[in-house]
Amino acid sequence: MIRVGQGFDVHAFAPGRTLKLCGVIIPYELGLLGHSDADVATHALMDALLGAAALGDIGKLFPDTDQKYEGADSTTLLKEVVALLHENNYKIVNFDITIIAQEPKISPYVGSMRAIMASCCGLSLDRVSVKATTTERLGFTGRKEGIAALACALIEKI
């Protein structure tokens, strides 16, 4: 049996924070606001994987009311999601992440992002897609107020 899931996340820009996407630190004057490291792309992927397996979402698994997750590294949390999938007899087939941001420019970091996400999930690079787009200066991302991310994941029952 194969199953598909989708994930979506948004975080606002904030001063004094590090900008991290798919585990890659990106030099930029603003970071993203959140309880954890606010890695919006990794959060979207985790929700896509959890949704595909009908195992809830990251808010249920890693609540922002739990101080244990304050400042948490999202790639560490992603590894926990992957382990949970394996415990429930699922394997990841592939996934696709789209990062939506007017700034900063994401394309120089896509190779590193794919490598980190592949490593966290135990996948080969050909099963991992990361790409970026803008909203042509429309909406909150177009106004440079934050970043959004979408993810789609395919998993298989083993």
Side-chain angles (χ1 to χ4, degrees):
M1 172 182 23
I2 59 170
R3 300 174 69 143
V4 66
Q6 65 180 2
F8 176 75
D9 198 25
V10 171
H11 284 276
F13 281 126
R17 300 272 303 189
T18 298
L19 178 58
K20 188 187 285 187
L21 297 170
C22 291
V24 175
I25 294 174
I26 298 178
Y28 193 61
E29 63 264 19
L30 298 169
L32 293 173
L33 185 61
H35 186 68
S36 67
D37 62 5
D39 185 336
V40 66
T42 302
H43 293 182
L45 175 59
M46 288 189 286
D47 270 345
L49 294 168
L50 290 166
L55 294 172
D57 59 37
I58 61 173
K60 175 184 169 189
L61 216 58
F62 312 113
D64 64 5
T65 55
D66 189 335
Q67 292 306 306
K68 173 180 174 183
Y69 301 114
E70 187 173 355
D73 182 327
S74 293
T75 58
T76 300
L77 302 180
L78 174 58
K79 291 174 189 174
E80 289 185 37
V81 168
V82 172
L84 182 61
L85 288 176
H86 291 161
E87 289 170 20
N88 285 274
N89 298 313
Y90 289 105
K91 72 174 185 175
I92 302 168
V93 176
N94 73 301
F95 59 81
D96 178 36
I97 300 169
T98 303
I99 300 167
I100 305 162
Q102 196 65 44
E103 284 184 0
K105 189 83 169 153
I106 305 298
S107 58
Y109 306 98
V110 166
S112 297
M113 291 176 179
R114 288 181 65 218
I116 288 170
M117 294 292 96
S119 176
C120 288
C121 295
L123 298 174
S124 58
L125 273 179
D126 65 333
R127 294 178 177 219
V128 174
S129 172
V130 176
K131 57 194 183 302
T133 190
T134 70
T135 56
E136 302 296 329
R137 304 196 190 293
L138 298 174
F140 81 92
T141 59
R143 291 187 301 270
K144 305 175 193 173
E145 296 171 8
I147 295 179
L150 302 163
C152 181
L154 183 67
I155 64 174
E156 184 175 21
K157 191 79 166 178
I158 48 175

